[in-house]
Amino acid sequence: EEDHMRIISMEPGDNVDAIFRRFAKACEGVQKVLKEEGYDFMHNDHLGYILTCPSNLGTGLRAGTMVKLPLLSARKDFRDLTKRMGLQARGTAGVDSASTGGKWDISNADRLGKSETHLVNIFISGVSQLIKWEEALEQGKSIDAEVANAKEWAP
């Protein structure tokens, strides 16, 4: 990544709420120190946070997880499906890399135009649905009708 700083909050398991709260607390802590020194994060009312990498304009938030989806990701429409759901599928070595053993780094695709909470909810609902579809495929069930209607989570 090209940005000047990266704050990462992670732990094993699926407690996204705790991970997000820890992330927010870390951001607030860094911002407090910056302000004490007479600085702050660069922010624009229209664009959000200004980062070095234009693809991260807005919140700069990327919520992601590693998940095994060998059956679902074997579908020709897998990348299109994740895009329609507001998600990005990266291989095991990051952007533009291949998956290894059906393992993918799934994250929210957008950074701009939505709040951090909205982006995390897109991530949670999307990954949950991908896992449900993978489990259905493991049981030999068809998911074609559901996949055809897949879209991004909305409040």
Side-chain angles (χ1 to χ4, degrees):
E1 294 285 331
E2 303 87 6
D3 289 322
H4 299 299
M5 178 178 65
R6 179 186 294 187
I7 299 174
I8 299 173
S9 177
M10 58 193 298
E11 67 182 53
D14 62 358
N15 192 347
V16 178
D17 183 61
I19 295 166
F20 182 70
R21 288 180 191 278
R22 190 172 51 250
F23 169 77
K25 185 177 179 180
C27 291
E28 290 167 1
V30 171
Q31 188 172 35
K32 180 182 176 196
V33 171
L34 285 171
K35 286 184 174 186
E36 288 171 357
E37 297 293 323
Y39 301 99
D40 200 354
F41 293 123
M42 289 182 63
H43 188 271
N44 175 283
D45 289 339
H46 178 68
L47 297 174
Y49 289 98
I50 308 298
L51 297 104
T52 305
C53 182
S55 68
N56 288 333
L57 273 175
T59 65
L61 178 86
R62 181 180 169 275
T65 188
M66 297 300 288
V67 62
K68 284 187 81 171
L69 304 167
L71 300 174
L72 184 61
S73 64
R75 292 176 57 104
K76 292 178 183 175
D77 62 350
F78 177 67
R79 296 265 187 168
D80 177 61
L81 170 63
T82 57
K83 285 180 186 176
R84 286 188 286 127
M85 296 175 73
L87 301 172
Q88 179 181 34
R90 298 179 179 193
T92 49
V95 178
D96 298 326
S97 69
S99 167
T100 305
K103 193 173 188 181
W104 294 87
D105 177 355
I106 305 292
S107 64
N108 54 294
D110 293 334
R111 314 286 188 268
L112 183 63
K114 296 176 179 113
S115 72
E116 289 90 344
T117 302
H118 189 119
L119 294 174
V120 169
N121 282 324
I122 290 170
F123 164 74
I124 291 169
S125 65
V127 170
S128 175
Q129 185 60 61
L130 294 176
I131 291 169
K132 286 176 186 173
W133 285 332
E134 181 69 22
E135 290 171 346
L137 290 171
E138 288 172 354
Q139 296 169 14
K141 296 178 182 175
S142 174
I143 61 169
D144 291 342
E146 289 182 44
V147 165
N149 295 317
K151 59 184 177 186
E152 183 177 299
W153 174 87

